[in-house]
Amino acid sequence: MVDDDSESVLIQAREVRNFYTSHAVPEDEAVLLRFDGWQAVSCSPAIWGAKVDLGNVWIVILDHKGRRIGRYYMSVATGYGVKDDGSLEVGGMLVWRPGAGSEAMWAERWRGGPELPGSWLAYTGEQRDAWLEISVNHATHSARNDDPAGTEYEVDGRVVGDLRDFLCAIGEAVNGPGGYFGRSLSALADCLGGGFGATAPFTLNWRYSSESRERLKGDFRRIMDVLSRCDVRLL
């Protein structure tokens, strides 16, 4: 847990209970978190003996090597002390609390994955909202240079059933398994401006695009409008 103002690490913990939710999509939600296997870092352990106002903090996710791979914002956080089981209780408003499927998705990234193309297909349509949220969250902690202009990427239209599917697929096409390249049409346009793995103009080989067109309906035209405005050549 990291202080928002000073960026000081307040505590480290082995596990956080009540962090994930079963909601289909991420939401802002008031929560009470329990930190197991915790230790104070930049503050005295004594302050956790009573209720303490923490202000705004980040719940930072680390991988198996201790590297930061994601984070979630908690506003008006309050520490409620150490409980009988030794856990530390902290409450507050968790912004975009990770939704259904997120725990398995973050566990895969903790291990250094996802490694296999199409990993997002294992999740249901609504869980793919969580996949996109985790992809952009992780992308902010992953350094990657843009490919040169003129690069060709490939999307398989047979797996694209809606806009979420297309965004999962193009994120993977540009940045590899679990990659991010927009979580909405406006975010896709932002990514096409550079700094997210690809440099326009480039070529998108959208295989079986006729199958995608039937399922995407109006979103197909809107996707095409964004791509054409940003100088993407379609095959």
Side-chain angles (χ1 to χ4, degrees):
M1 185 167 61
V2 176
D3 181 74
D4 181 41
D5 291 329
S6 67
E7 298 187 356
S8 299
V9 178
L10 301 175
I11 64 166
Q12 290 182 336
R14 182 187 68 254
E15 185 179 354
V16 185
R17 283 183 273 161
N18 202 34
F19 182 59
Y20 300 99
T21 178
S22 60
H23 297 323
V25 296
E27 297 180 2
D28 299 356
E29 192 169 349
V31 296
L32 278 174
L33 303 179
R34 288 285 190 93
F35 292 83
D36 292 316
W38 67 278
Q39 60 181 16
V41 178
S42 64
C43 56
S44 169
I47 74 165
W48 303 108
K51 182 178 178 180
V52 57
D53 179 11
L54 301 172
N56 302 320
V57 299
W58 291 94
I59 309 301
V60 177
I61 300 174
L62 308 178
D63 68 5
H64 67 291
K65 294 183 178 180
R67 298 172 300 194
R68 294 188 181 190
I69 57 173
R71 65 180 187 173
Y72 289 86
Y73 190 72
M74 176 180 273
S75 61
V76 293
T78 302
Y80 292 104
V82 181
K83 301 305 170 182
D84 291 341
D85 61 1
S87 66
L88 177 66
E89 187 173 69
V90 175
M93 182 65 68
L94 192 59
V95 178
W96 280 87
R97 185 182 183 189
S102 295
E103 186 169 8
M105 297 174 200
W106 276 120
E108 191 170 13
R109 291 180 187 267
W110 178 87
R111 295 189 294 266
E115 297 179 349
L116 299 176
S119 296
W120 57 274
L121 291 167
Y123 298 96
T124 64
E126 290 184 330
Q127 289 174 334
R128 291 174 191 174
D129 287 315
W131 180 275
L132 290 168
E133 186 278 325
I134 288 173
S135 295
V136 63
N137 195 325
H138 182 258
T140 61
H141 295 81
S142 305
R144 185 187 186 282
N145 295 326
D146 286 358
D147 295 327
T151 299
E152 181 175 320
Y153 306 100
E154 182 177 292
V155 165
D156 186 347
R158 293 173 296 185
V159 301
V160 175
D162 57 25
L163 178 59
R164 288 174 299 204
D165 294 350
F166 174 77
L167 294 170
C168 290
I170 194 171
E172 179 173 278
V174 174
N175 290 306
Y180 170 76
F181 204 70
R183 58 183 291 183
S184 64
L185 287 176
S186 60
L188 173 63
D190 289 341
C191 290
L192 287 164
F196 291 90
T199 303
F202 63 78
T203 298
L204 180 63
N205 181 4
W206 192 338
R207 299 170 56 237
Y208 304 98
S209 59
S210 59
E211 295 186 26
S212 301
R213 185 198 301 267
E214 293 179 8
R215 292 188 289 266
L216 285 165
K217 298 182 173 59
D219 279 334
F220 184 84
R221 177 185 55 78
R222 286 184 279 271
I223 291 170
M224 297 297 286
D225 287 346
V226 171
L227 295 176
S228 62
R229 287 200 312 269
C230 296
D231 203 17
V232 176
R233 176 173 174 259
L234 271 295
L235 292 180

